Amino acid sequence: VQLQASGGGLVQAGGSLRLSCAASGRTFSSYAMGWFRQAPGKEREFVAAISWSGGSTYYADSVKGRFTISRDNAKNTVYLQMNSLKPEDTAVYYCAAIMGVASGVAGEYDYWGQGTLVTVSS
C-alpha cells in the first residue's frame, strides 16, 4: 500500500483544514487507517484512527470534538477534517495503514505516507 497525504497549509487559529490520504492498491478496505502528527522537536503522536469499515473511530483527547476522521473505500481515501485549529496543532501530519484493528501506537502501523505540513498561526 502506498499512501499520499495532502491538504496541509497555513491557516489562522480558529480556522479549518481537511487533509486527505490517497492509497494505492485494491486492498485499501482491508486496512484500518490512522493519522499521526509530529511537531518540531517532539515525538510523533497519535491523532485519530478509523476501522476498515469506518464504523469505529478513535481520537486523541487533544483533538476530540474538533477533528473528524472519515474514509471513502470506493475512493481509497481517508480524510481528517480539522476545525477550530490551534497553534499547538502545528505539525507534519502523517497518514498510516494497519492490517487489522485500528491502533494509537505508531509502531504498529505497516505503511506510512510522506506527511503534509499544517501551520496554524496565532
Side-chain angles (χ1 to χ4, degrees), residues 11-13 87 120-122:
V11 63
Q12 288 188 331
V120 184
S121 63
S122 57

Side-chain angles (χ1 to χ4, degrees), residues 94-117:
Y94 299 89
C95 60
I98 180 172
M99 177 64 78
V101 179
S103 170
V105 180
E108 295 182 353
Y109 280 75
D110 302 302
Y111 301 98
W112 289 85
Q114 86 290 359
T116 185
L117 176 63

